[in-house]
Amino acid sequence: MKELSSSYGRVFIGSKDECFRTAVFLAEGQRGRNPAKRHFTWALTGGSTPQEWYEWCVAKDALSPVTVATAHWFVSDERYVRPDSHESNFGNADRLLLKPLGIAADRKHPWSTNIAPGLAAVEFGRMNAPWFGRDRTFDVCFLGMGDDGHTASLFPGSPLLRDDGKQFFAAIDVPGKGWRLTVTPSGLKAAGLIVVMALGAGKAGALHRVLAGESDPMRTPSQVLKNCRDKVVWLVDEAAAAKFLQG
Ligand code: 6PG
């Protein structure tokens, strides 16, 4: 893959298959980096790209037996819907990846969507603290990026981009989309490794705006990753990178 550096993290450009394989390679590497830590935590994310990646992982038997046997699973953000909804990020991860891999229930950590959203965000941090460890959120946090430049559930204009009160997780009522539960900018800073997958021509404009545009995270939320660029890796295919590479 081609590798470039940017103010928002390292950028790897290659085919979709290379992006999928590198996502596994990076996460597996992160698991091996800190053997003294008691638990390895991996947050997946929502949208169509991860769903394709889940099916690829299962078909290729891509995850190591150690990861399958020991990792604790989360999603970086969640829609406030029932887990059996096809809108549920954890629900989709469970149906397409965790169930086919036979992951035990005690290593699956969905957000609660049957209690008030504000409470669900507090509970997510409190209940999962034993897995995360001190001042840490996920060891590996996967993210996607929308064509409006959003990432996780940090949408343009989100008050969490201005001030998240140093909380790692929050509930936010997104105009036109309803309640979301999400890792915050502070929570991203407290992650071990952040992998952003952006695939397809539909992402070309947003990727160009993030990496080469004026710095304005309120309008282009993925730019919050500048604050933790040392641990951010972008995996983008040629179609998504096209506009950025043209300059
Ligand atoms: C969600 C995600 C969101 C997603 C992007 C990219 O719940 O939708 O948290 O941030 O990752 O919108 O989605 P695609 O992979 O569908 O482009």
Side-chain angles (χ1 to χ4, degrees):
M1 295 181 95
K2 184 188 276 191
E3 183 183 346
L4 308 170
S5 66
S6 82
S7 308
Y8 302 91
R10 292 151 76 199
V11 184
F12 287 93
I13 303 166
S15 66
K16 177 156 77 179
D17 207 68
E18 285 173 319
C19 291
F20 282 2
R21 255 187 290 135
T22 307
V24 173
F25 176 80
L26 291 169
E28 293 279 356
Q30 188 68 12
R31 179 180 55 70
R33 263 181 73 164
N34 188 358
K37 188 171 176 283
R38 277 180 42 230
H39 307 287
F40 171 64
T41 59
W42 187 341
L44 304 165
T45 190
S48 55
T49 312
Q51 295 187 38
E52 215 184 317
W53 180 80
Y54 300 150
E55 289 172 329
W56 178 93
C57 282
V58 172
K60 303 273 181 195
D61 200 10
L63 302 186
S64 73
V66 179
T67 294
V68 172
T70 60
H72 285 259
W73 299 93
F74 305 81
V75 286
S76 59
D77 64 310
E78 185 56 286
R79 296 132 192 249
Y80 196 63
V81 295
R82 289 162 50 117
D84 58 1
S85 158
H86 283 275
E87 283 280 293
S88 166
N89 290 345
F90 197 91
N92 288 328
D94 197 31
R95 276 183 290 279
L96 298 171
L97 183 71
L98 307 181
K99 277 202 180 111
L101 293 180
I103 305 296
D106 62 351
R107 286 190 288 110
K108 297 180 187 179
H109 306 278
W111 297 78
S112 295
T113 52
N114 55 356
I115 54 175
L119 207 58
V122 173
E123 191 197 90
F124 186 81
R126 193 174 52 81
M127 300 278 285
N128 293 318
W131 314 115
F132 296 147
R134 242 182 96 102
D135 300 326
R136 173 47 78 92
T137 55
F138 317 110
D139 292 319
V140 174
C141 181
F142 274 16
L143 295 175
M145 180 181 62
D147 38 20
D148 58 356
H150 83 261
T151 192
S153 288
L154 303 169
F155 287 85
S158 174
L160 294 172
L161 295 163
R162 197 175 305 112
D163 181 11
D164 61 19
K166 299 213 164 38
Q167 297 301 310
F168 289 164
F169 305 104
I172 186 86
D173 192 3
V174 181
K177 294 187 190 292
W179 281 98
R180 298 285 189 113
L181 303 163
T182 188
V183 65
T184 62
S186 295
L188 288 170
K189 272 204 232 166
L193 168 75
I194 296 171
V195 177
V196 195
M197 241 195 286
L199 304 179
K203 308 287 178 194
L207 191 72
H208 181 254
R209 244 192 8 264
V210 172
L211 300 179
E214 185 195 333
S215 171
D216 185 358
M218 279 309 275
R219 286 186 52 210
T220 312
S222 300
Q223 290 182 329
V224 293
L225 296 172
K226 193 175 192 168
N227 299 329
C228 44
R229 54 181 286 187
D230 292 347
K231 53 180 142 195
V232 176
V233 180
W234 292 78
L235 298 176
V236 303
D237 65 359
E238 284 95 359
K243 190 162 182 204
F244 172 63
L245 291 177
Q246 274 162 20

